[in-house]
Amino acid sequence: MAPTALQEKLNGLVNSMFAEGLLDEQFQQLQMLQDGSNPGFVAEVVTLFCEDSERILAELTKLMDQAVVDYSKVDAYVHQLKGSSSSVGAQNVKLACIQFRQFCEDNNKEGCMRALNVVKHEYYHLRSKFETMLHLENRIQAYETKQQS
Amino acid sequence: MAVAAETQFHVLAVDDSRLDRMLIERLLKTSSYQVTTVDSGSKALQILGLQDDQTNSPSVSSDQHDTEVNLIITDYCMPEMTGYDLLKKIKESSSLKDIPVVIMSSENVPSRIHRCLEEGAEEFFLKPVQLSDMNRLKPHILKGKYKELHQQQVLQNSSITGSNHNSNKRKAMDDEISPEMSKTKTHKQPDSTVIPYITSFSFLTSFE
């Protein structure tokens, strides 16, 4: 596919993510920080967000599996995830974390279990879009590198 | 000797989140700051030459910073030492208390904000921190610089005696203050008192 068509596809994807509420204006801030001297910044941040999130979700799953749930530990992890999703502009994940923390505060086990599932659902949905985004970016950059050589 | 047109100020950023450290580093570098990031308050104190127990370790001397820190920006919620604890330790230290400190937090808790400002934080940024927030840092750095220069003046005025006076003046007359120069020239020296005579504030006007 020609690079302009690739770029259009990428723009279309990102715009739809904004429209769906997957991303908020914080993501635009990240885009602004990416430039010629830092062409991989968004990819770096997105990759780190995904690594962090999966680590946290694994911990949360373990904690919620306990017979007696340690809500302060659960809350600490959700707070972390809320922070990183906020920093990356992952709006739906952030909102799901806010709900989750409410259930933690109430020590509501069932609420927490449901909230964890929502967070997972939102995260994996976002991750698959991020994967497509980074794939398109790589293809565009590969083409541009080839042009320069 | 003219001051370089683009003098870089050095910001120490403290945050336990790797993602947020990546973000704040990019924000600061994009805004032309030199940046050091650490993941804890205790590491920050090490860099600043101050250990938790207020004594300097042999390997980290407060008189020999590799680079002077002009501003500290720290997250509030961190394990072991919060941003507030770090702020307190900095304000309690005679060598560090004039370094401006900015606190960041993802939570908008008025009592928390108030407590930090009362303790001497210059400002409180709500996360996620944005590019536009970077514009709010310079006034605090410059205020810190004014304080530093004022103290140098006071030191100079009180320590100049007799024959030392003229030779110091001749030696320092052509020097203009830059952040790097002030760092190298104000090491505490027991006998000689070579303190730069402040002839111009041109470094302050080289920014918009």
Side-chain angles (χ1 to χ4, degrees), chain B residues 135-169:
Chain B
N135 297 333
R136 291 152 68 182
L137 297 177
K138 204 165 284 163
H140 302 307
I141 293 179
L142 295 180
K143 195 170 74 170
K145 278 283 143 198
Y146 273 121
K147 278 189 197 168
E148 194 186 311
L149 289 173
H150 174 73
Q151 270 166 20
Q152 286 170 11
Q153 284 254 274
V154 166
L155 268 173
Q156 183 192 26
N157 292 343
S158 62
S159 66
I160 286 173
T161 55
S163 56
N164 276 343
H165 176 74
N166 289 326
S167 59
N168 283 354
K169 245 188 150 168

PDB file of all heavy atoms in Angstrom, chain B residues 135-169:
ATOM      1  N   ASN B 135       5.681  25.799  30.933  1.00  0.00           N
ATOM      2  CA  ASN B 135       5.893  27.253  30.948  1.00  0.00           C
ATOM      3  C   ASN B 135       5.829  27.835  32.347  1.00  0.00           C
ATOM      4  O   ASN B 135       6.302  28.948  32.584  1.00  0.00           O
ATOM      5  CB  ASN B 135       4.837  27.961  30.077  1.00  0.00           C
ATOM      6  CG  ASN B 135       4.952  27.557  28.620  1.00  0.00           C
ATOM      7  OD1 ASN B 135       6.030  27.192  28.157  1.00  0.00           O
ATOM      8  ND2 ASN B 135       3.852  27.605  27.892  1.00  0.00           N
ATOM      9  N   ARG B 136       5.222  27.089  33.271  1.00  0.00           N
ATOM     10  CA  ARG B 136       5.060  27.610  34.626  1.00  0.00           C
ATOM     11  C   ARG B 136       6.300  27.387  35.493  1.00  0.00           C
ATOM     12  O   ARG B 136       6.365  27.846  36.618  1.00  0.00           O
ATOM     13  CB  ARG B 136       3.842  26.943  35.277  1.00  0.00           C
ATOM     14  CG  ARG B 136       2.524  27.384  34.643  1.00  0.00           C
ATOM     15  CD  ARG B 136       1.448  26.328  34.761  1.00  0.00           C
ATOM     16  NE  ARG B 136       0.997  26.111  36.127  1.00  0.00           N
ATOM     17  CZ  ARG B 136       0.092  25.199  36.479  1.00  0.00           C
ATOM     18  NH1 ARG B 136      -0.441  24.428  35.570  1.00  0.00           N
ATOM     19  NH2 ARG B 136      -0.272  25.054  37.731  1.00  0.00           N
ATOM     20  N   LEU B 137       7.288  26.669  34.937  1.00  0.00           N
ATOM     21  CA  LEU B 137       8.460  26.335  35.759  1.00  0.00           C
ATOM     22  C   LEU B 137       9.489  27.457  35.836  1.00  0.00           C
ATOM     23  O   LEU B 137      10.098  27.679  36.884  1.00  0.00           O
ATOM     24  CB  LEU B 137       9.149  25.078  35.205  1.00  0.00           C
ATOM     25  CG  LEU B 137       8.330  23.794  35.217  1.00  0.00           C
ATOM     26  CD1 LEU B 137       9.136  22.671  34.579  1.00  0.00           C
ATOM     27  CD2 LEU B 137       7.946  23.414  36.642  1.00  0.00           C
ATOM     28  N   LYS B 138       9.696  28.130  34.718  1.00  0.00           N
ATOM     29  CA  LYS B 138      10.798  29.093  34.658  1.00  0.00           C
ATOM     30  C   LYS B 138      10.753  30.178  35.723  1.00  0.00           C
ATOM     31  O   LYS B 138      11.770  30.469  36.350  1.00  0.00           O
ATOM     32  CB  LYS B 138      10.923  29.706  33.270  1.00  0.00           C
ATOM     33  CG  LYS B 138      12.330  30.220  33.016  1.00  0.00           C
ATOM     34  CD  LYS B 138      12.594  30.505  31.564  1.00  0.00           C
ATOM     35  CE  LYS B 138      12.806  29.247  30.762  1.00  0.00           C
ATOM     36  NZ  LYS B 138      12.664  29.479  29.302  1.00  0.00           N
ATOM     37  N   PRO B 139       9.588  30.800  35.967  1.00  0.00           N
ATOM     38  CA  PRO B 139       9.565  31.840  37.003  1.00  0.00           C
ATOM     39  C   PRO B 139      10.099  31.330  38.349  1.00  0.00           C
ATOM     40  O   PRO B 139      10.788  32.056  39.060  1.00  0.00           O
ATOM     41  CB  PRO B 139       8.075  32.191  37.117  1.00  0.00           C
ATOM     42  CG  PRO B 139       7.485  31.803  35.822  1.00  0.00           C
ATOM     43  CD  PRO B 139       8.282  30.648  35.310  1.00  0.00           C
ATOM     44  N   HIS B 140       9.803  30.073  38.680  1.00  0.00           N
ATOM     45  CA  HIS B 140      10.262  29.532  39.961  1.00  0.00           C
ATOM     46  C   HIS B 140      11.767  29.316  39.953  1.00  0.00           C
ATOM     47  O   HIS B 140      12.449  29.549  40.951  1.00  0.00           O
ATOM     48  CB  HIS B 140       9.531  28.219  40.272  1.00  0.00           C
ATOM     49  CG  HIS B 140       8.051  28.360  40.320  1.00  0.00           C
ATOM     50  ND1 HIS B 140       7.423  29.312  41.110  1.00  0.00           N
ATOM     51  CD2 HIS B 140       7.072  27.709  39.658  1.00  0.00           C
ATOM     52  CE1 HIS B 140       6.116  29.220  40.932  1.00  0.00           C
ATOM     53  NE2 HIS B 140       5.874  28.262  40.061  1.00  0.00           N
ATOM     54  N   ILE B 141      12.293  28.878  38.813  1.00  0.00           N
ATOM     55  CA  ILE B 141      13.739  28.682  38.695  1.00  0.00           C
ATOM     56  C   ILE B 141      14.451  30.024  38.813  1.00  0.00           C
ATOM     57  O   ILE B 141      15.449  30.153  39.530  1.00  0.00           O
ATOM     58  CB  ILE B 141      14.111  28.022  37.348  1.00  0.00           C
ATOM     59  CG1 ILE B 141      13.566  26.595  37.299  1.00  0.00           C
ATOM     60  CG2 ILE B 141      15.614  28.017  37.146  1.00  0.00           C
ATOM     61  CD1 ILE B 141      13.847  25.862  36.011  1.00  0.00           C
ATOM     62  N   LEU B 142      13.917  31.024  38.148  1.00  0.00           N
ATOM     63  CA  LEU B 142      14.550  32.340  38.187  1.00  0.00           C
ATOM     64  C   LEU B 142      14.492  32.928  39.588  1.00  0.00           C
ATOM     65  O   LEU B 142      15.445  33.545  40.056  1.00  0.00           O
ATOM     66  CB  LEU B 142      13.891  33.273  37.168  1.00  0.00           C
ATOM     67  CG  LEU B 142      14.084  32.840  35.704  1.00  0.00           C
ATOM     68  CD1 LEU B 142      13.410  33.826  34.765  1.00  0.00           C
ATOM     69  CD2 LEU B 142      15.567  32.737  35.370  1.00  0.00           C
ATOM     70  N   LYS B 143      13.385  32.682  40.274  1.00  0.00           N
ATOM     71  CA  LYS B 143      13.264  33.177  41.646  1.00  0.00           C
ATOM     72  C   LYS B 143      14.344  32.523  42.513  1.00  0.00           C
ATOM     73  O   LYS B 143      14.973  33.172  43.343  1.00  0.00           O
ATOM     74  CB  LYS B 143      11.870  32.852  42.192  1.00  0.00           C
ATOM     75  CG  LYS B 143      11.523  33.627  43.453  1.00  0.00           C
ATOM     76  CD  LYS B 143      10.051  33.466  43.814  1.00  0.00           C
ATOM     77  CE  LYS B 143       9.775  32.088  44.381  1.00  0.00           C
ATOM     78  NZ  LYS B 143       8.399  32.001  44.965  1.00  0.00           N
ATOM     79  N   GLY B 144      14.557  31.239  42.289  1.00  0.00           N
ATOM     80  CA  GLY B 144      15.599  30.514  43.017  1.00  0.00           C
ATOM     81  C   GLY B 144      16.974  31.092  42.734  1.00  0.00           C
ATOM     82  O   GLY B 144      17.817  31.213  43.607  1.00  0.00           O
ATOM     83  N   LYS B 145      17.187  31.460  41.474  1.00  0.00           N
ATOM     84  CA  LYS B 145      18.465  32.049  41.059  1.00  0.00           C
ATOM     85  C   LYS B 145      18.683  33.394  41.729  1.00  0.00           C
ATOM     86  O   LYS B 145      19.789  33.706  42.171  1.00  0.00           O
ATOM     87  CB  LYS B 145      18.502  32.228  39.547  1.00  0.00           C
ATOM     88  CG  LYS B 145      18.875  30.970  38.795  1.00  0.00           C
ATOM     89  CD  LYS B 145      20.364  30.740  38.889  1.00  0.00           C
ATOM     90  CE  LYS B 145      20.691  29.283  39.005  1.00  0.00           C
ATOM     91  NZ  LYS B 145      22.040  29.054  39.503  1.00  0.00           N
ATOM     92  N   TYR B 146      17.632  34.209  41.803  1.00  0.00           N
ATOM     93  CA  TYR B 146      17.727  35.509  42.466  1.00  0.00           C
ATOM     94  C   TYR B 146      18.157  35.320  43.916  1.00  0.00           C
ATOM     95  O   TYR B 146      19.013  36.026  44.418  1.00  0.00           O
ATOM     96  CB  TYR B 146      16.387  36.249  42.431  1.00  0.00           C
ATOM     97  CG  TYR B 146      16.157  37.085  41.198  1.00  0.00           C
ATOM     98  CD1 TYR B 146      15.069  36.854  40.372  1.00  0.00           C
ATOM     99  CD2 TYR B 146      17.024  38.126  40.868  1.00  0.00           C
ATOM    100  CE1 TYR B 146      14.846  37.624  39.248  1.00  0.00           C
ATOM    101  CE2 TYR B 146      16.806  38.900  39.734  1.00  0.00           C
ATOM    102  CZ  TYR B 146      15.717  38.644  38.934  1.00  0.00           C
ATOM    103  OH  TYR B 146      15.492  39.401  37.825  1.00  0.00           O
ATOM    104  N   LYS B 147      17.525  34.332  44.557  1.00  0.00           N
ATOM    105  CA  LYS B 147      17.844  34.073  45.973  1.00  0.00           C
ATOM    106  C   LYS B 147      19.307  33.697  46.109  1.00  0.00           C
ATOM    107  O   LYS B 147      20.007  34.154  46.996  1.00  0.00           O
ATOM    108  CB  LYS B 147      17.000  32.903  46.502  1.00  0.00           C
ATOM    109  CG  LYS B 147      15.606  33.274  46.914  1.00  0.00           C
ATOM    110  CD  LYS B 147      14.945  32.091  47.619  1.00  0.00           C
ATOM    111  CE  LYS B 147      13.452  32.251  47.674  1.00  0.00           C
ATOM    112  NZ  LYS B 147      12.783  31.013  48.084  1.00  0.00           N
ATOM    113  N   GLU B 148      19.775  32.847  45.184  1.00  0.00           N
ATOM    114  CA  GLU B 148      21.158  32.369  45.225  1.00  0.00           C
ATOM    115  C   GLU B 148      22.116  33.543  45.031  1.00  0.00           C
ATOM    116  O   GLU B 148      23.093  33.699  45.749  1.00  0.00           O
ATOM    117  CB  GLU B 148      21.353  31.343  44.110  1.00  0.00           C
ATOM    118  CG  GLU B 148      22.614  30.524  44.227  1.00  0.00           C
ATOM    119  CD  GLU B 148      22.803  29.629  43.005  1.00  0.00           C
ATOM    120  OE1 GLU B 148      21.847  28.942  42.629  1.00  0.00           O
ATOM    121  OE2 GLU B 148      23.902  29.643  42.443  1.00  0.00           O
ATOM    122  N   LEU B 149      21.813  34.381  44.048  1.00  0.00           N
ATOM    123  CA  LEU B 149      22.681  35.528  43.761  1.00  0.00           C
ATOM    124  C   LEU B 149      22.694  36.489  44.933  1.00  0.00           C
ATOM    125  O   LEU B 149      23.729  37.032  45.303  1.00  0.00           O
ATOM    126  CB  LEU B 149      22.204  36.247  42.498  1.00  0.00           C
ATOM    127  CG  LEU B 149      22.435  35.479  41.190  1.00  0.00           C
ATOM    128  CD1 LEU B 149      21.772  36.204  40.034  1.00  0.00           C
ATOM    129  CD2 LEU B 149      23.922  35.327  40.919  1.00  0.00           C
ATOM    130  N   HIS B 150      21.527  36.690  45.514  1.00  0.00           N
ATOM    131  CA  HIS B 150      21.427  37.595  46.659  1.00  0.00           C
ATOM    132  C   HIS B 150      22.299  37.093  47.795  1.00  0.00           C
ATOM    133  O   HIS B 150      23.027  37.855  48.427  1.00  0.00           O
ATOM    134  CB  HIS B 150      19.975  37.719  47.109  1.00  0.00           C
ATOM    135  CG  HIS B 150      19.805  38.525  48.357  1.00  0.00           C
ATOM    136  ND1 HIS B 150      19.943  39.892  48.388  1.00  0.00           N
ATOM    137  CD2 HIS B 150      19.540  38.145  49.629  1.00  0.00           C
ATOM    138  CE1 HIS B 150      19.756  40.325  49.623  1.00  0.00           C
ATOM    139  NE2 HIS B 150      19.500  39.287  50.396  1.00  0.00           N
ATOM    140  N   GLN B 151      22.259  35.787  48.016  1.00  0.00           N
ATOM    141  CA  GLN B 151      23.064  35.215  49.095  1.00  0.00           C
ATOM    142  C   GLN B 151      24.547  35.351  48.807  1.00  0.00           C
ATOM    143  O   GLN B 151      25.341  35.560  49.703  1.00  0.00           O
ATOM    144  CB  GLN B 151      22.717  33.744  49.306  1.00  0.00           C
ATOM    145  CG  GLN B 151      21.597  33.585  50.306  1.00  0.00           C
ATOM    146  CD  GLN B 151      21.000  32.207  50.286  1.00  0.00           C
ATOM    147  OE1 GLN B 151      21.615  31.255  49.804  1.00  0.00           O
ATOM    148  NE2 GLN B 151      19.804  32.085  50.799  1.00  0.00           N
ATOM    149  N   GLN B 152      24.906  35.205  47.536  1.00  0.00           N
ATOM    150  CA  GLN B 152      26.315  35.370  47.160  1.00  0.00           C
ATOM    151  C   GLN B 152      26.761  36.793  47.447  1.00  0.00           C
ATOM    152  O   GLN B 152      27.863  37.034  47.934  1.00  0.00           O
ATOM    153  CB  GLN B 152      26.523  35.056  45.686  1.00  0.00           C
ATOM    154  CG  GLN B 152      26.472  33.568  45.382  1.00  0.00           C
ATOM    155  CD  GLN B 152      26.440  33.295  43.892  1.00  0.00           C
ATOM    156  OE1 GLN B 152      26.653  34.185  43.085  1.00  0.00           O
ATOM    157  NE2 GLN B 152      26.171  32.056  43.531  1.00  0.00           N
ATOM    158  N   GLN B 153      25.893  37.733  47.120  1.00  0.00           N
ATOM    159  CA  GLN B 153      26.201  39.141  47.373  1.00  0.00           C
ATOM    160  C   GLN B 153      26.425  39.364  48.861  1.00  0.00           C
ATOM    161  O   GLN B 153      27.368  40.024  49.269  1.00  0.00           O
ATOM    162  CB  GLN B 153      25.026  40.020  46.918  1.00  0.00           C
ATOM    163  CG  GLN B 153      24.940  40.190  45.430  1.00  0.00           C
ATOM    164  CD  GLN B 153      25.390  41.576  44.972  1.00  0.00           C
ATOM    165  OE1 GLN B 153      24.601  42.497  44.966  1.00  0.00           O
ATOM    166  NE2 GLN B 153      26.647  41.722  44.631  1.00  0.00           N
ATOM    167  N   VAL B 154      25.519  38.808  49.642  1.00  0.00           N
ATOM    168  CA  VAL B 154      25.605  38.974  51.097  1.00  0.00           C
ATOM    169  C   VAL B 154      26.917  38.393  51.610  1.00  0.00           C
ATOM    170  O   VAL B 154      27.621  39.007  52.399  1.00  0.00           O
ATOM    171  CB  VAL B 154      24.397  38.285  51.783  1.00  0.00           C
ATOM    172  CG1 VAL B 154      24.624  38.135  53.263  1.00  0.00           C
ATOM    173  CG2 VAL B 154      23.128  39.075  51.507  1.00  0.00           C
ATOM    174  N   LEU B 155      27.250  37.199  51.120  1.00  0.00           N
ATOM    175  CA  LEU B 155      28.503  36.537  51.506  1.00  0.00           C
ATOM    176  C   LEU B 155      29.692  37.399  51.141  1.00  0.00           C
ATOM    177  O   LEU B 155      30.612  37.605  51.919  1.00  0.00           O
ATOM    178  CB  LEU B 155      28.649  35.197  50.777  1.00  0.00           C
ATOM    179  CG  LEU B 155      28.126  33.954  51.486  1.00  0.00           C
ATOM    180  CD1 LEU B 155      28.195  32.758  50.555  1.00  0.00           C
ATOM    181  CD2 LEU B 155      28.924  33.673  52.758  1.00  0.00           C
ATOM    182  N   GLN B 156      29.641  37.923  49.929  1.00  0.00           N
ATOM    183  CA  GLN B 156      30.757  38.720  49.435  1.00  0.00           C
ATOM    184  C   GLN B 156      30.916  39.978  50.282  1.00  0.00           C
ATOM    185  O   GLN B 156      32.010  40.317  50.689  1.00  0.00           O
ATOM    186  CB  GLN B 156      30.539  39.106  47.985  1.00  0.00           C
ATOM    187  CG  GLN B 156      31.718  39.873  47.418  1.00  0.00           C
ATOM    188  CD  GLN B 156      31.381  40.506  46.086  1.00  0.00           C
ATOM    189  OE1 GLN B 156      30.243  40.784  45.803  1.00  0.00           O
ATOM    190  NE2 GLN B 156      32.392  40.747  45.278  1.00  0.00           N
ATOM    191  N   ASN B 157      29.793  40.636  50.519  1.00  0.00           N
ATOM    192  CA  ASN B 157      29.854  41.879  51.283  1.00  0.00           C
ATOM    193  C   ASN B 157      30.399  41.663  52.679  1.00  0.00           C
ATOM    194  O   ASN B 157      31.117  42.493  53.218  1.00  0.00           O
ATOM    195  CB  ASN B 157      28.467  42.527  51.370  1.00  0.00           C
ATOM    196  CG  ASN B 157      27.998  43.028  50.006  1.00  0.00           C
ATOM    197  OD1 ASN B 157      28.805  43.176  49.091  1.00  0.00           O
ATOM    198  ND2 ASN B 157      26.709  43.262  49.872  1.00  0.00           N
ATOM    199  N   SER B 158      30.079  40.519  53.263  1.00  0.00           N
ATOM    200  CA  SER B 158      30.503  40.307  54.651  1.00  0.00           C
ATOM    201  C   SER B 158      31.909  39.747  54.752  1.00  0.00           C
ATOM    202  O   SER B 158      32.520  39.777  55.789  1.00  0.00           O
ATOM    203  CB  SER B 158      29.531  39.364  55.358  1.00  0.00           C
ATOM    204  OG  SER B 158      29.555  38.116  54.711  1.00  0.00           O
ATOM    205  N   SER B 159      32.458  39.191  53.664  1.00  0.00           N
ATOM    206  CA  SER B 159      33.763  38.543  53.782  1.00  0.00           C
ATOM    207  C   SER B 159      34.899  39.315  53.124  1.00  0.00           C
ATOM    208  O   SER B 159      36.050  38.986  53.299  1.00  0.00           O
ATOM    209  CB  SER B 159      33.712  37.138  53.170  1.00  0.00           C
ATOM    210  OG  SER B 159      33.489  37.250  51.777  1.00  0.00           O
ATOM    211  N   ILE B 160      34.581  40.330  52.368  1.00  0.00           N
ATOM    212  CA  ILE B 160      35.657  41.105  51.715  1.00  0.00           C
ATOM    213  C   ILE B 160      36.385  41.923  52.767  1.00  0.00           C
ATOM    214  O   ILE B 160      35.790  42.690  53.491  1.00  0.00           O
ATOM    215  CB  ILE B 160      35.070  42.032  50.627  1.00  0.00           C
ATOM    216  CG1 ILE B 160      34.672  41.169  49.406  1.00  0.00           C
ATOM    217  CG2 ILE B 160      36.089  43.077  50.193  1.00  0.00           C
ATOM    218  CD1 ILE B 160      33.936  41.927  48.338  1.00  0.00           C
ATOM    219  N   THR B 161      37.710  41.728  52.834  1.00  0.00           N
ATOM    220  CA  THR B 161      38.513  42.499  53.795  1.00  0.00           C
ATOM    221  C   THR B 161      39.788  42.971  53.122  1.00  0.00           C
ATOM    222  O   THR B 161      40.326  42.297  52.264  1.00  0.00           O
ATOM    223  CB  THR B 161      38.938  41.634  54.995  1.00  0.00           C
ATOM    224  OG1 THR B 161      39.620  40.485  54.485  1.00  0.00           O
ATOM    225  CG2 THR B 161      37.750  41.224  55.831  1.00  0.00           C
ATOM    226  N   GLY B 162      40.249  44.143  53.490  1.00  0.00           N
ATOM    227  CA  GLY B 162      41.550  44.687  53.131  1.00  0.00           C
ATOM    228  C   GLY B 162      42.084  44.329  51.757  1.00  0.00           C
ATOM    229  O   GLY B 162      41.495  44.604  50.733  1.00  0.00           O
ATOM    230  N   SER B 163      43.260  43.681  51.738  1.00  0.00           N
ATOM    231  CA  SER B 163      43.975  43.475  50.482  1.00  0.00           C
ATOM    232  C   SER B 163      43.280  42.480  49.558  1.00  0.00           C
ATOM    233  O   SER B 163      43.517  42.473  48.378  1.00  0.00           O
ATOM    234  CB  SER B 163      45.402  43.005  50.765  1.00  0.00           C
ATOM    235  OG  SER B 163      45.332  41.837  51.571  1.00  0.00           O
ATOM    236  N   ASN B 164      42.472  41.616  50.116  1.00  0.00           N
ATOM    237  CA  ASN B 164      41.755  40.660  49.261  1.00  0.00           C
ATOM    238  C   ASN B 164      40.810  41.356  48.306  1.00  0.00           C
ATOM    239  O   ASN B 164      40.587  40.908  47.195  1.00  0.00           O
ATOM    240  CB  ASN B 164      40.929  39.685  50.119  1.00  0.00           C
ATOM    241  CG  ASN B 164      41.784  38.545  50.611  1.00  0.00           C
ATOM    242  OD1 ASN B 164      42.864  38.305  50.088  1.00  0.00           O
ATOM    243  ND2 ASN B 164      41.328  37.853  51.627  1.00  0.00           N
ATOM    244  N   HIS B 165      40.291  42.447  48.776  1.00  0.00           N
ATOM    245  CA  HIS B 165      39.189  43.111  48.071  1.00  0.00           C
ATOM    246  C   HIS B 165      39.532  43.439  46.616  1.00  0.00           C
ATOM    247  O   HIS B 165      38.843  43.027  45.700  1.00  0.00           O
ATOM    248  CB  HIS B 165      38.814  44.382  48.836  1.00  0.00           C
ATOM    249  CG  HIS B 165      37.759  45.198  48.143  1.00  0.00           C
ATOM    250  ND1 HIS B 165      36.444  44.826  48.114  1.00  0.00           N
ATOM    251  CD2 HIS B 165      37.850  46.354  47.456  1.00  0.00           C
ATOM    252  CE1 HIS B 165      35.745  45.724  47.448  1.00  0.00           C
ATOM    253  NE2 HIS B 165      36.558  46.673  47.031  1.00  0.00           N
ATOM    254  N   ASN B 166      40.630  44.183  46.413  1.00  0.00           N
ATOM    255  CA  ASN B 166      40.928  44.639  45.064  1.00  0.00           C
ATOM    256  C   ASN B 166      41.283  43.517  44.114  1.00  0.00           C
ATOM    257  O   ASN B 166      40.862  43.517  42.964  1.00  0.00           O
ATOM    258  CB  ASN B 166      42.075  45.654  45.082  1.00  0.00           C
ATOM    259  CG  ASN B 166      41.592  46.955  45.680  1.00  0.00           C
ATOM    260  OD1 ASN B 166      40.442  47.327  45.509  1.00  0.00           O
ATOM    261  ND2 ASN B 166      42.453  47.630  46.417  1.00  0.00           N
ATOM    262  N   SER B 167      42.040  42.548  44.600  1.00  0.00           N
ATOM    263  CA  SER B 167      42.448  41.466  43.688  1.00  0.00           C
ATOM    264  C   SER B 167      41.238  40.642  43.266  1.00  0.00           C
ATOM    265  O   SER B 167      41.136  40.224  42.127  1.00  0.00           O
ATOM    266  CB  SER B 167      43.513  40.595  44.335  1.00  0.00           C
ATOM    267  OG  SER B 167      43.004  40.045  45.523  1.00  0.00           O
ATOM    268  N   ASN B 168      40.316  40.419  44.213  1.00  0.00           N
ATOM    269  CA  ASN B 168      39.104  39.660  43.841  1.00  0.00           C
ATOM    270  C   ASN B 168      38.302  40.398  42.799  1.00  0.00           C
ATOM    271  O   ASN B 168      37.821  39.844  41.838  1.00  0.00           O
ATOM    272  CB  ASN B 168      38.216  39.434  45.066  1.00  0.00           C
ATOM    273  CG  ASN B 168      38.749  38.339  45.937  1.00  0.00           C
ATOM    274  OD1 ASN B 168      39.709  37.675  45.574  1.00  0.00           O
ATOM    275  ND2 ASN B 168      38.158  38.157  47.091  1.00  0.00           N
ATOM    276  N   LYS B 169      38.193  41.699  43.020  1.00  0.00           N
ATOM    277  CA  LYS B 169      37.390  42.513  42.116  1.00  0.00           C
ATOM    278  C   LYS B 169      37.972  42.472  40.703  1.00  0.00           C
ATOM    279  O   LYS B 169      37.282  42.257  39.735  1.00  0.00           O
ATOM    280  CB  LYS B 169      37.392  43.962  42.605  1.00  0.00           C
ATOM    281  CG  LYS B 169      36.032  44.454  43.055  1.00  0.00           C
ATOM    282  CD  LYS B 169      36.077  45.933  43.339  1.00  0.00           C
ATOM    283  CE  LYS B 169      34.703  46.542  43.048  1.00  0.00           C
ATOM    284  NZ  LYS B 169      34.623  47.887  43.567  1.00  0.00           N
TER     285      LYS B 169
END
